[in-house]
């Protein structure tokens, strides 16, 4: 269905990004995967991603929808995330996930990812397809800190808007220091996490140590393909 071309671009001091540019046949878009990847001379690469809803029943029946964009411009990475259908007036964790080896992450393949059959795809159950948390999308992604209170907060309608410009050289250095390899955006997926604190979650729902399950529960995912 897709004709794929891989373009490798050199960014700053030898750090590499790779991008798959796909020509889609009519009707061939798959929700949760890249809708458009474009390269404009002088502006670098642009990755546009659709977000698919996860765990809508735990999210008070809401389906999360939205988009994310990652744009490479010279020494900068411009990140934009817009989503709706989230728990209102709540800080939502959002991250890029992948593996600590050269493998491609993907969003959970449906309820078959619910390995303990409790009706919820929790954070730990996403690891088989999506790996671990790697890049946090908060006030300062370069510091690579996961536990912080600087993630974006939704408005009273459950809409989230996030924009951040980071120094690509600094982010690449921090990523390589932590994981021992260069950044390749196309290996990652983006997750948005979090439902209301009053959500009725089974006791079997797993989370990070000392972090409540409702905070880390995945509610949207999109592949940077």
């Amino acid at each position: 269905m897709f004709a794929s071309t891989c373009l490798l671009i050199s960014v700053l001091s030898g750090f590499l990004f790779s991008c798959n540019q796909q020509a889609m046949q009519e009707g061939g878009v798959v929700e949760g995967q890249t809708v458009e990847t474009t390269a404009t001379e002088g502006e670098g690469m642009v990755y546009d991603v659709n977000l698919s809803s996860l765990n809508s029943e735990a999210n008070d029946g809401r389906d999360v929808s939205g988009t994310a964009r990652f744009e490479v411009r010279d020494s900068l990475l411009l990140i934009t995330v817009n989503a709706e259908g989230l728990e209102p007036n709540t800080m939502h964790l959002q991250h890029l996930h992948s593996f600590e080896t050269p493998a491609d992450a993907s969003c959970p393949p449906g309820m078959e990812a619910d390995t303990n059959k409790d009706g919820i795809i929790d954070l730990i159950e996403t690891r088989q397809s999506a790996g671990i948390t790697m890049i946090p999308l908060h006030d300062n992604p370069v510091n690579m800190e996961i536990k912080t209170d600087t993630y974006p907060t939704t408005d009273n309608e459950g809409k989230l808007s996030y924009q951040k410009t980071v120094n690509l050289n600094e982010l690449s250095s921090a990523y390589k220091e932590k994981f021992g390899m260069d950044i390749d955006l196309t290996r990652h997926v983006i997750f948005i996490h979090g439902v209301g604190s009053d959500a009725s979650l089974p006791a079997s729902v797993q989370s990070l140590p000392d972090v409540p399950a409702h905070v880390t529960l995945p509610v949207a995912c999109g592949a940077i393909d």
Side-chain angles (χ1 to χ4, degrees):
M1 295 175 65
F2 297 92
S4 301
T5 302
C6 183
L7 171 66
L8 296 179
I9 62 172
S10 177
V11 179
L12 297 177
S13 57
F15 295 105
L16 299 178
F17 281 87
S18 67
C19 176
N20 294 327
Q21 187 168 17
Q22 299 177 322
M24 295 177 288
Q25 297 179 354
E26 184 177 357
V29 178
V30 178
E31 185 179 11
Q33 294 189 355
T34 300
V35 174
E36 177 184 8
T37 305
T38 60
T40 304
E41 187 174 356
E43 293 188 355
M45 304 305 299
V46 178
Y47 308 82
D48 284 324
V49 180
N50 265 355
L51 297 173
S52 297
S53 188
L54 291 171
N55 295 312
S56 60
E57 185 174 346
N59 188 30
D60 201 24
R62 293 180 294 251
D63 287 324
V64 178
S65 61
T67 60
R69 166 170 284 201
F70 302 88
E71 182 175 356
V72 180
R73 286 190 181 180
D74 300 322
S75 61
L76 302 176
L77 176 63
L78 287 64
I79 307 168
T80 304
V81 181
N82 290 294
E84 58 184 26
L86 296 158
E87 178 71 16
N89 302 310
T90 300
M91 186 182 73
H92 289 269
L93 278 60
Q94 50 180 13
H95 311 105
L96 297 189
H97 289 226
S98 193
F99 297 94
E100 293 183 275
T101 58
D104 294 336
S106 60
C107 292
M111 291 309 296
E112 61 191 87
D114 175 25
T115 55
N116 64 5
K117 307 303 179 184
D118 61 3
I120 299 290
I121 302 172
D122 62 42
L123 175 65
I124 306 306
E125 289 172 327
T126 68
R127 289 180 175 175
Q128 183 173 352
S129 62
I132 64 170
T133 301
M134 303 193 87
I135 302 176
L137 302 182
H138 51 46
D139 189 57
N140 184 17
V142 173
N143 67 21
M144 304 292 283
E145 293 181 6
I146 305 303
K147 294 183 179 181
T148 175
D149 61 359
T150 65
Y151 291 96
T153 299
T154 48
D155 63 16
N156 57 13
E157 295 182 345
K159 295 181 179 179
L160 177 150
S161 180
Y162 171 84
Q163 291 182 317
K164 182 62 59 176
T165 300
V166 301
N167 183 293
L168 188 53
N169 190 42
E170 294 177 358
L171 180 63
S172 297
S173 295
Y175 188 97
K176 190 164 189 177
E177 180 179 355
K178 186 169 184 178
F179 300 113
M181 55 187 174
D182 297 333
I183 295 176
D184 180 349
L185 282 178
T186 65
R187 292 183 51 247
H188 297 75
V189 299
I190 176 175
F191 277 108
I192 299 179
H193 306 266
V195 295
S197 58
D198 58 349
S200 298
L201 299 178
S204 54
V205 174
Q206 302 177 82
S207 182
L208 298 174
D210 303 319
V211 182
H214 75 270
V215 174
T216 65
L217 191 72
V219 292
C221 183
I224 309 174
D225 195 11

